[in-house]
Amino acid sequence: MTRPFESLSPKEVLALAIHVERANAERFRSFAYVFRQYDEGVADRFEELAKEEEQHEAMLVERFRVRFGKEIPQVREVDVKGVIESVDMDESEHLIFDSLQPRRVYELAHAAEVGALSFYRDAAKLSGDPELAALYRELAEEEEGHASWLEKKLAGSRGRGSQRPSQ
């Protein structure tokens, strides 16, 4: 059963933020793998994004442990109504990973970043804790930068149709 975002405690919001960062790091590492075959620069950037998401996760885990202890509850995006739609590849994209087109990867990554940006903005508004609100605003700014980079990549891929950059 899903719960409204507003019903989450500060501890649960922070646990959810940890989950979001971990999931996005995994997505970006997968996207780096897709691009590694034909565009090293983009692959390297997705790897950098994955590392940044891992740094966010580590920062959030540390903050969680200081404030709430070691036991981080399992709160996932699918458990919370109205937060973020989990961005993922559809079944056919999982089966034919090598055929995934750059534009689709950028779209998926952009949706993940926009979702994280929205999540952090909402978390900052609802946190009721100035320290956590400041942390969430800081993370929102970083996610906004990621989303901007992806918007530029999407704008650049419009004229290419579905062809890969090397074609």
Side-chain angles (χ1 to χ4, degrees), residues 44-121:
D44 289 345
R45 182 60 181 132
F46 272 114
E47 189 62 41
E48 287 173 26
L49 289 171
K51 287 177 183 174
E52 288 177 26
E53 301 295 339
E54 288 171 342
Q55 290 170 349
H56 295 171
E57 178 189 357
M59 180 176 56
L60 291 166
V61 166
E62 178 61 29
R63 185 71 53 97
F64 187 96
R65 290 186 172 147
V66 166
R67 299 205 80 191
F68 302 112
K70 289 187 178 191
E71 190 68 32
I72 301 172
Q74 179 72 5
V75 182
R76 301 167 304 153
E77 296 159 276
V78 296
D79 298 330
V80 182
K81 209 182 307 182
V83 170
I84 314 174
E85 285 294 319
S86 187
V87 178
D88 208 355
M89 293 175 270
D90 66 31
E91 189 61 31
S92 64
E93 290 168 326
H94 279 293
L95 295 173
I96 311 170
F97 205 62
D98 290 342
S99 70
L100 195 59
Q101 297 297 316
R103 180 158 184 81
R104 180 67 177 138
V105 173
Y106 293 140
E107 289 169 350
L108 290 166
H110 184 260
E113 289 302 302
V114 168
L117 171 61
S118 177
F119 167 75
Y120 285 124
R121 284 180 175 162

Coordinates of all heavy atoms in Angstrom, one line a residue, residues 44-121:
D44 N 31.6 8.6 -20.2 CA 32.4 9.1 -19.1 C 31.5 10.1 -18.3 O 31.6 10.1 -17.0 CB 33.6 9.8 -19.6 CG 34.7 8.9 -20.1 OD1 34.6 7.7 -19.9 OD2 35.6 9.4 -20.8
R45 N 30.7 10.9 -18.9 CA 29.8 11.8 -18.2 C 28.8 11.1 -17.4 O 28.5 11.5 -16.3 CB 29.2 12.8 -19.2 CG 28.3 13.8 -18.5 CD 29.1 14.7 -17.5 NE 28.2 15.6 -16.8 CZ 28.1 15.8 -15.5 NH1 28.9 15.3 -14.7 NH2 27.2 16.7 -15.0
F46 N 28.2 10.0 -18.0 CA 27.3 9.2 -17.2 C 27.9 8.6 -16.0 O 27.3 8.4 -14.9 CB 26.5 8.2 -18.0 CG 25.3 8.8 -18.7 CD1 25.2 8.9 -20.1 CD2 24.2 9.2 -17.9 CE1 24.1 9.4 -20.7 CE2 23.0 9.7 -18.5 CZ 23.0 9.8 -19.9
E47 N 29.2 8.1 -16.2 CA 29.9 7.5 -15.1 C 30.2 8.6 -14.0 O 30.0 8.3 -12.8 CB 31.2 7.0 -15.6 CG 32.0 6.2 -14.5 CD 31.2 4.9 -14.0 OE1 30.6 4.2 -14.9 OE2 31.2 4.7 -12.8
E48 N 30.5 9.8 -14.4 CA 30.6 10.9 -13.4 C 29.3 11.2 -12.7 O 29.3 11.4 -11.5 CB 31.0 12.2 -14.2 CG 32.4 12.3 -14.7 CD 32.7 13.5 -15.5 OE1 32.0 14.5 -15.3 OE2 33.6 13.5 -16.3
L49 N 28.2 11.2 -13.4 CA 26.9 11.4 -12.8 C 26.6 10.3 -11.8 O 26.1 10.5 -10.7 CB 25.8 11.4 -13.8 CG 25.7 12.7 -14.7 CD1 24.7 12.5 -15.8 CD2 25.4 13.9 -13.9
A50 N 27.0 9.0 -12.1 CA 26.8 7.9 -11.2 C 27.6 8.1 -9.9 O 27.1 7.9 -8.8 CB 27.2 6.6 -11.9
K51 N 28.8 8.6 -10.1 CA 29.7 8.8 -8.9 C 29.1 10.0 -8.1 O 29.2 9.9 -6.8 CB 31.1 9.1 -9.4 CG 31.8 7.9 -9.9 CD 33.2 8.2 -10.4 CE 33.8 6.9 -11.0 NZ 35.1 7.2 -11.6
E52 N 28.6 11.0 -8.7 CA 28.0 12.1 -8.0 C 26.8 11.6 -7.2 O 26.6 12.0 -6.0 CB 27.6 13.3 -8.9 CG 28.8 14.0 -9.5 CD 28.4 15.1 -10.4 OE1 27.2 15.6 -10.4 OE2 29.2 15.4 -11.3
E53 N 26.0 10.8 -7.8 CA 24.8 10.2 -7.1 C 25.3 9.4 -5.9 O 24.7 9.4 -4.8 CB 23.9 9.4 -8.0 CG 23.4 10.2 -9.2 CD 22.4 11.3 -8.9 OE1 21.9 11.3 -7.8 OE2 22.2 12.2 -9.7
E54 N 26.4 8.6 -6.1 CA 26.9 7.8 -5.0 C 27.4 8.7 -3.9 O 27.3 8.4 -2.7 CB 28.0 6.9 -5.5 CG 27.5 5.8 -6.3 CD 28.6 5.0 -7.0 OE1 29.7 5.5 -7.2 OE2 28.3 3.8 -7.4
Q55 N 28.0 9.8 -4.2 CA 28.5 10.8 -3.2 C 27.3 11.4 -2.4 O 27.3 11.5 -1.2 CB 29.3 11.9 -3.8 CG 30.7 11.4 -4.3 CD 31.4 12.5 -5.2 OE1 30.8 13.5 -5.6 NE2 32.6 12.2 -5.5
H56 N 26.2 11.7 -3.2 CA 25.0 12.2 -2.5 C 24.5 11.1 -1.6 O 24.1 11.4 -0.4 CB 23.9 12.5 -3.5 CG 24.2 13.6 -4.5 ND1 23.4 13.8 -5.6 CD2 25.2 14.5 -4.5 CE1 23.9 14.9 -6.2 NE2 25.0 15.3 -5.6
E57 N 24.4 9.9 -2.0 CA 24.0 8.8 -1.2 C 24.8 8.7 0.1 O 24.3 8.6 1.2 CB 24.0 7.5 -1.9 CG 23.6 6.3 -1.1 CD 23.8 4.9 -1.7 OE1 24.2 4.9 -2.9 OE2 23.5 3.9 -1.0
A58 N 26.1 8.7 0.0 CA 27.0 8.6 1.1 C 26.8 9.8 2.1 O 26.8 9.6 3.3 CB 28.5 8.6 0.6
M59 N 26.6 11.0 1.6 CA 26.4 12.1 2.4 C 25.0 12.0 3.2 O 25.0 12.2 4.4 CB 26.3 13.4 1.5 CG 26.0 14.7 2.3 SD 26.1 16.2 1.3 CE 24.9 15.8 0.0
L60 N 24.0 11.5 2.5 CA 22.7 11.2 3.1 C 22.8 10.1 4.1 O 22.2 10.3 5.2 CB 21.7 10.9 2.0 CG 21.3 12.1 1.1 CD1 20.5 11.5 -0.1 CD2 20.5 13.1 1.8
V61 N 23.5 9.1 3.9 CA 23.7 8.0 4.8 C 24.4 8.5 6.1 O 23.9 8.2 7.2 CB 24.4 6.8 4.2 CG1 24.9 5.8 5.3 CG2 23.6 6.1 3.2
E62 N 25.4 9.3 5.9 CA 26.1 9.8 7.0 C 25.2 10.7 7.9 O 25.1 10.6 9.1 CB 27.3 10.6 6.6 CG 28.1 11.3 7.7 CD 28.7 10.3 8.7 OE1 28.9 9.1 8.4 OE2 28.8 10.7 9.9
R63 N 24.5 11.6 7.2 CA 23.5 12.5 7.9 C 22.5 11.7 8.6 O 22.1 12.0 9.7 CB 22.9 13.4 6.9 CG 22.0 14.5 7.5 CD 22.7 15.6 8.2 NE 23.8 16.2 7.5 CZ 23.7 17.3 6.8 NH1 22.5 18.0 6.9 NH2 24.7 17.8 6.1
F64 N 22.0 10.6 8.0 CA 21.0 9.7 8.6 C 21.5 9.1 9.9 O 20.9 9.1 10.9 CB 20.5 8.6 7.6 CG 19.4 7.8 8.2 CD1 18.1 8.1 7.8 CD2 19.6 6.8 9.0 CE1 17.0 7.4 8.3 CE2 18.6 6.0 9.6 CZ 17.3 6.4 9.2
R65 N 22.7 8.6 9.8 CA 23.3 7.9 11.0 C 23.5 8.9 12.1 O 23.3 8.5 13.3 CB 24.6 7.2 10.5 CG 24.3 6.0 9.7 CD 25.5 5.2 9.4 NE 25.0 3.9 8.7 CZ 25.7 3.3 7.7 NH1 26.8 3.7 7.4 NH2 25.1 2.2 7.2
V66 N 23.9 10.1 11.8 CA 24.2 11.1 12.9 C 22.8 11.4 13.6 O 22.8 11.5 14.8 CB 24.8 12.3 12.3 CG1 24.8 13.5 13.3 CG2 26.3 12.0 11.9
R67 N 21.8 11.6 12.8 CA 20.5 12.0 13.3 C 19.6 10.9 13.8 O 18.9 11.1 14.8 CB 19.7 12.8 12.2 CG 20.5 14.0 11.8 CD 19.7 15.0 11.2 NE 19.2 15.8 12.3 CZ 18.2 16.7 12.1 NH1 17.8 16.9 10.9 NH2 17.7 17.3 13.1
F68 N 19.7 9.7 13.2 CA 18.7 8.7 13.5 C 19.3 7.3 13.8 O 18.5 6.4 14.1 CB 17.7 8.5 12.3 CG 17.0 9.8 11.9 CD1 17.2 10.4 10.7 CD2 16.0 10.3 12.8 CE1 16.5 11.6 10.4 CE2 15.3 11.5 12.4 CZ 15.6 12.1 11.2
G69 N 20.6 7.2 13.8 CA 21.2 5.9 14.1 C 21.5 5.1 12.8 O 21.3 5.5 11.7
K70 N 22.0 3.9 13.0 CA 22.5 3.1 11.9 C 21.4 2.4 11.1 O 21.6 2.1 9.9 CB 23.4 2.0 12.4 CG 24.7 2.6 12.9 CD 25.7 1.5 13.2 CE 27.0 2.1 13.7 NZ 28.1 1.1 13.8
E71 N 20.3 2.1 11.7 CA 19.2 1.3 11.0 C 18.4 2.2 10.1 O 17.6 3.0 10.5 CB 18.3 0.6 12.0 CG 17.3 -0.3 11.5 CD 18.0 -1.6 10.9 OE1 19.0 -2.0 11.5 OE2 17.4 -2.2 10.0
I72 N 18.6 2.0 8.8 CA 17.9 2.8 7.8 C 16.7 2.1 7.3 O 16.8 1.0 6.8 CB 18.8 3.2 6.6 CG1 20.0 4.0 7.1 CG2 18.0 4.0 5.5 CD1 21.1 4.2 6.0
P73 N 15.5 2.6 7.5 CA 14.3 1.9 7.1 C 14.2 1.8 5.5 O 14.8 2.6 4.8 CB 13.1 2.7 7.6 CG 13.7 4.0 7.8 CD 15.1 3.9 8.1
Q74 N 13.6 0.7 5.1 CA 13.4 0.5 3.6 C 12.2 1.3 3.2 O 11.1 0.9 3.4 CB 13.2 -1.0 3.3 CG 13.0 -1.3 1.9 CD 14.3 -1.1 1.0 OE1 15.3 -0.9 1.5 NE2 14.1 -1.3 -0.2
V75 N 12.4 2.5 2.5 CA 11.4 3.3 2.0 C 11.7 3.5 0.5 O 12.8 4.1 0.2 CB 11.2 4.6 2.7 CG1 10.1 5.4 2.1 CG2 11.0 4.5 4.2
R76 N 10.9 3.0 -0.4 CA 11.2 3.1 -1.8 C 10.2 4.0 -2.5 O 9.1 4.3 -2.0 CB 11.1 1.7 -2.4 CG 12.1 0.7 -1.8 CD 11.8 -0.7 -2.2 NE 10.4 -1.0 -1.9 CZ 9.7 -1.9 -2.5 NH1 10.1 -2.6 -3.5 NH2 8.4 -2.1 -2.1
E77 N 10.6 4.4 -3.7 CA 9.7 5.3 -4.5 C 8.3 4.7 -4.7 O 7.3 5.4 -4.6 CB 10.3 5.6 -5.8 CG 11.7 6.3 -5.8 CD 12.5 6.1 -7.0 OE1 13.2 5.1 -7.1 OE2 12.4 7.0 -7.9
V78 N 8.3 3.4 -4.9 CA 7.0 2.8 -5.2 C 6.1 2.7 -3.9 O 4.9 2.5 -4.0 CB 7.2 1.3 -5.7 CG1 7.9 1.4 -7.1 CG2 7.9 0.4 -4.8
D79 N 6.7 2.9 -2.8 CA 5.9 2.9 -1.5 C 5.2 4.2 -1.2 O 4.4 4.3 -0.3 CB 6.9 2.6 -0.3 CG 7.5 1.2 -0.5 OD1 6.9 0.3 -1.0 OD2 8.7 1.1 0.0
V80 N 5.6 5.3 -2.0 CA 5.1 6.6 -1.6 C 4.3 7.2 -2.8 O 4.9 7.2 -3.9 CB 6.3 7.5 -1.3 CG1 5.8 8.9 -0.9 CG2 7.1 6.9 -0.1
K81 N 3.1 7.6 -2.5 CA 2.3 8.2 -3.6 C 2.7 9.7 -3.8 O 2.9 10.4 -2.9 CB 0.8 8.2 -3.0 CG -0.2 8.1 -4.1 CD -1.6 8.2 -3.5 CE -1.9 7.2 -2.4 NZ -3.2 7.2 -1.9
G82 N 2.8 10.0 -5.1 CA 3.0 11.4 -5.5 C 4.4 11.9 -5.3 O 4.6 13.1 -5.2
V83 N 5.4 11.1 -5.2 CA 6.7 11.6 -5.0 C 7.4 11.5 -6.4 O 7.5 12.5 -7.1 CB 7.6 10.7 -4.0 CG1 9.0 11.1 -4.0 CG2 7.0 10.9 -2.6
I84 N 7.9 10.4 -6.8 CA 8.7 10.3 -8.0 C 8.2 9.0 -8.7 O 8.0 8.0 -8.0 CB 10.2 10.1 -7.8 CG1 10.7 11.1 -6.8 CG2 10.9 10.2 -9.1 CD1 12.1 10.8 -6.4
E85 N 8.0 9.1 -9.9 CA 7.7 7.9 -10.7 C 9.1 7.3 -10.9 O 10.0 7.9 -11.4 CB 7.0 8.2 -12.0 CG 5.6 8.5 -11.9 CD 4.7 7.4 -11.4 OE1 5.0 6.2 -11.9 OE2 3.9 7.6 -10.6
S86 N 9.2 6.0 -10.6 CA 10.5 5.4 -10.8 C 10.8 5.3 -12.3 O 9.9 4.8 -13.1 CB 10.5 4.0 -10.2 OG 11.8 3.4 -10.3
V87 N 11.9 5.8 -12.8 CA 12.2 5.9 -14.2 C 13.0 4.6 -14.5 O 14.0 4.3 -13.9 CB 13.0 7.1 -14.5 CG1 13.4 7.1 -16.0 CG2 12.2 8.3 -14.2
D88 N 12.6 3.9 -15.5 CA 13.3 2.7 -15.8 C 13.0 2.4 -17.3 O 12.2 2.9 -17.9 CB 12.7 1.5 -15.0 CG 13.8 0.4 -14.8 OD1 14.9 0.5 -15.4 OD2 13.5 -0.5 -14.0
M89 N 13.8 1.5 -17.8 CA 13.7 1.1 -19.2 C 12.5 0.1 -19.3 O 12.3 -0.7 -18.3 CB 15.0 0.4 -19.7 CG 16.1 1.4 -19.8 SD 17.6 0.5 -20.2 CE 18.3 0.2 -18.5
D90 N 11.8 0.1 -20.4 CA 10.7 -0.9 -20.5 C 11.3 -2.3 -20.8 O 12.5 -2.4 -21.0 CB 9.7 -0.4 -21.6 CG 10.2 -0.4 -23.0 OD1 11.1 -1.2 -23.3 OD2 9.7 0.4 -23.8
E91 N 10.5 -3.3 -20.8 CA 10.9 -4.6 -21.0 C 11.8 -4.9 -22.2 O 12.8 -5.5 -22.2 CB 9.7 -5.6 -20.9 CG 10.1 -7.0 -20.8 CD 10.9 -7.4 -19.6 OE1 10.7 -6.8 -18.5 OE2 11.7 -8.3 -19.6
S92 N 11.3 -4.3 -23.3 CA 12.1 -4.6 -24.6 C 13.5 -3.9 -24.5 O 14.5 -4.5 -25.0 CB 11.3 -4.1 -25.8 OG 11.2 -2.7 -25.7
E93 N 13.6 -2.8 -23.8 CA 14.9 -2.2 -23.7 C 15.8 -3.0 -22.8 O 17.0 -3.0 -23.0 CB 14.7 -0.7 -23.1 CG 14.1 0.2 -24.1 CD 13.7 1.5 -23.5 OE1 13.2 1.5 -22.3 OE2 13.7 2.5 -24.2
H94 N 15.3 -3.7 -21.8 CA 16.1 -4.5 -21.0 C 16.6 -5.7 -21.8 O 17.7 -6.1 -21.7 CB 15.3 -5.1 -19.8 CG 15.1 -4.2 -18.7 ND1 16.2 -3.8 -17.9 CD2 14.1 -3.5 -18.2 CE1 15.8 -2.9 -17.0 NE2 14.5 -2.8 -17.1
L95 N 15.7 -6.2 -22.7 CA 16.1 -7.4 -23.5 C 17.1 -7.1 -24.6 O 17.9 -7.9 -24.9 CB 14.9 -8.1 -24.1 CG 13.9 -8.6 -23.1 CD1 12.6 -9.1 -23.8 CD2 14.5 -9.8 -22.3
I96 N 17.0 -5.9 -25.1 CA 17.9 -5.5 -26.2 C 18.7 -4.3 -25.8 O 18.6 -3.2 -26.4 CB 17.1 -5.3 -27.5 CG1 16.1 -6.5 -27.8 CG2 18.0 -5.1 -28.7 CD1 15.1 -6.3 -28.9
F97 N 19.5 -4.4 -24.8 CA 20.2 -3.3 -24.2 C 21.0 -2.6 -25.2 O 21.1 -1.4 -25.2 CB 21.0 -3.8 -23.0 CG 21.3 -2.8 -22.0 CD1 20.3 -2.2 -21.3 CD2 22.6 -2.4 -21.7 CE1 20.6 -1.2 -20.3 CE2 22.9 -1.5 -20.8 CZ 21.9 -0.9 -20.0
D98 N 21.7 -3.3 -26.1 CA 22.6 -2.7 -27.1 C 21.9 -1.9 -28.1 O 22.5 -1.1 -28.8 CB 23.4 -3.8 -27.8 CG 24.4 -4.5 -26.9 OD1 24.7 -3.9 -25.8 OD2 24.9 -5.6 -27.2
S99 N 20.6 -2.1 -28.3 CA 19.8 -1.3 -29.3 C 19.3 0.0 -28.7 O 18.6 0.7 -29.4 CB 18.7 -2.2 -29.9 OG 17.7 -2.4 -28.9
L100 N 19.5 0.2 -27.4 CA 18.9 1.4 -26.8 C 19.6 2.7 -27.5 O 20.8 2.8 -27.6 CB 19.3 1.4 -25.3 CG 18.6 2.4 -24.4 CD1 17.1 2.1 -24.5 CD2 19.1 2.2 -23.0
Q101 N 18.7 3.6 -27.9 CA 19.2 4.7 -28.6 C 19.6 5.9 -27.7 O 19.0 6.0 -26.6 CB 18.1 5.2 -29.6 CG 17.7 4.2 -30.7 CD 18.9 3.9 -31.6 OE1 19.6 4.8 -32.0 NE2 19.1 2.7 -31.9
P102 N 20.5 6.7 -28.1 CA 21.0 7.8 -27.2 C 19.8 8.7 -26.7 O 19.8 9.0 -25.5 CB 22.0 8.5 -28.1 CG 22.5 7.5 -29.0 CD 21.3 6.6 -29.3
R103 N 18.9 9.0 -27.6 CA 17.9 9.9 -27.2 C 17.0 9.3 -26.1 O 16.6 10.0 -25.1 CB 17.0 10.3 -28.4 CG 15.8 11.2 -28.0 CD 15.3 12.0 -29.2 NE 14.3 12.9 -28.7 CZ 14.5 14.1 -28.2 NH1 15.8 14.5 -28.1 NH2 13.6 14.8 -27.7
R104 N 16.8 8.0 -26.2 CA 16.0 7.3 -25.1 C 16.7 7.3 -23.8 O 16.2 7.5 -22.8 CB 15.6 5.9 -25.6 CG 14.8 5.1 -24.6 CD 13.4 5.7 -24.4 NE 12.7 4.9 -23.5 CZ 11.9 5.3 -22.6 NH1 11.7 6.6 -22.4 NH2 11.3 4.5 -21.7
V105 N 18.0 7.1 -23.9 CA 18.8 7.2 -22.7 C 18.8 8.6 -22.0 O 18.6 8.7 -20.8 CB 20.3 6.7 -22.9 CG1 21.2 6.9 -21.7 CG2 20.3 5.3 -23.4
Y106 N 18.9 9.6 -22.9 CA 18.9 10.9 -22.3 C 17.5 11.2 -21.7 O 17.4 11.9 -20.7 CB 19.1 12.0 -23.4 CG 20.5 12.0 -24.0 CD1 20.8 12.1 -25.3 CD2 21.6 11.8 -23.1 CE1 22.1 12.1 -25.8 CE2 22.9 11.8 -23.6 CZ 23.1 12.0 -25.0 OH 24.4 12.0 -25.5
E107 N 16.4 10.7 -22.4 CA 15.1 10.9 -21.9 C 14.9 10.3 -20.5 O 14.4 10.9 -19.6 CB 14.0 10.4 -22.8 CG 13.9 11.2 -24.1 CD 13.0 10.5 -25.2 OE1 12.7 9.3 -25.0 OE2 12.7 11.2 -26.2
L108 N 15.4 9.0 -20.4 CA 15.3 8.3 -19.1 C 16.1 9.0 -18.0 O 15.6 9.2 -16.9 CB 15.7 6.9 -19.3 CG 14.8 6.0 -20.1 CD1 15.6 4.7 -20.5 CD2 13.6 5.6 -19.4
A109 N 17.3 9.4 -18.4 CA 18.1 10.1 -17.4 C 17.5 11.4 -17.0 O 17.5 11.8 -15.8 CB 19.5 10.2 -17.9
H110 N 17.0 12.1 -17.9 CA 16.4 13.4 -17.6 C 15.2 13.3 -16.7 O 15.0 14.0 -15.7 CB 16.0 14.2 -18.9 CG 15.5 15.5 -18.7 ND1 14.1 15.8 -18.7 CD2 16.1 16.7 -18.4 CE1 13.9 17.1 -18.5 NE2 15.1 17.6 -18.3
A111 N 14.4 12.3 -17.0 CA 13.2 12.0 -16.2 C 13.6 11.7 -14.7 O 13.0 12.1 -13.8 CB 12.4 10.9 -16.8
A112 N 14.7 10.9 -14.6 CA 15.2 10.6 -13.3 C 15.7 11.8 -12.5 O 15.4 12.0 -11.3 CB 16.4 9.6 -13.4
E113 N 16.4 12.7 -13.2 CA 16.9 13.9 -12.6 C 15.8 14.9 -12.2 O 15.8 15.5 -11.2 CB 17.9 14.6 -13.5 CG 19.2 13.8 -13.5 CD 19.9 13.6 -12.2 OE1 20.2 14.6 -11.5 OE2 20.1 12.4 -11.8
V114 N 14.8 15.0 -13.1 CA 13.7 15.9 -12.9 C 12.9 15.4 -11.7 O 12.4 16.2 -10.8 CB 12.8 16.1 -14.1 CG1 11.5 16.8 -13.8 CG2 13.6 16.9 -15.2
G115 N 12.7 14.1 -11.6 CA 12.0 13.5 -10.5 C 12.8 13.7 -9.2 O 12.2 14.1 -8.2
A116 N 14.1 13.6 -9.2 CA 14.9 13.8 -8.0 C 14.8 15.3 -7.6 O 14.7 15.6 -6.4 CB 16.3 13.4 -8.2
L117 N 14.9 16.2 -8.6 CA 14.8 17.6 -8.3 C 13.5 17.9 -7.6 O 13.4 18.6 -6.6 CB 14.9 18.4 -9.6 CG 14.7 19.9 -9.6 CD1 15.6 20.6 -8.7 CD2 14.7 20.4 -11.0
S118 N 12.4 17.4 -8.2 CA 11.1 17.7 -7.6 C 11.0 17.1 -6.2 O 10.4 17.7 -5.3 CB 10.0 17.0 -8.5 OG 8.7 17.2 -7.9
F119 N 11.5 15.9 -6.0 CA 11.5 15.3 -4.7 C 12.2 16.1 -3.7 O 11.7 16.4 -2.6 CB 12.2 13.9 -4.8 CG 12.5 13.3 -3.5 CD1 11.5 12.8 -2.7 CD2 13.8 13.3 -3.0 CE1 11.8 12.2 -1.4 CE2 14.1 12.8 -1.7 CZ 13.1 12.2 -0.9
Y120 N 13.4 16.6 -4.0 CA 14.2 17.4 -3.0 C 13.5 18.7 -2.8 O 13.5 19.2 -1.6 CB 15.6 17.6 -3.5 CG 16.4 16.4 -3.3 CD1 17.1 15.8 -4.4 CD2 16.5 15.7 -2.1 CE1 17.9 14.6 -4.2 CE2 17.3 14.6 -1.9 CZ 17.9 14.0 -3.0 OH 18.7 12.9 -2.8
R121 N 12.9 19.3 -3.8 CA 12.2 20.6 -3.5 C 11.0 20.4 -2.6 O 10.8 21.1 -1.6 CB 11.7 21.2 -4.8 CG 12.8 21.8 -5.6 CD 12.3 22.4 -6.9 NE 13.3 23.1 -7.6 CZ 13.3 23.5 -8.9 NH1 12.2 23.1 -9.6 NH2 14.3 24.1 -9.4

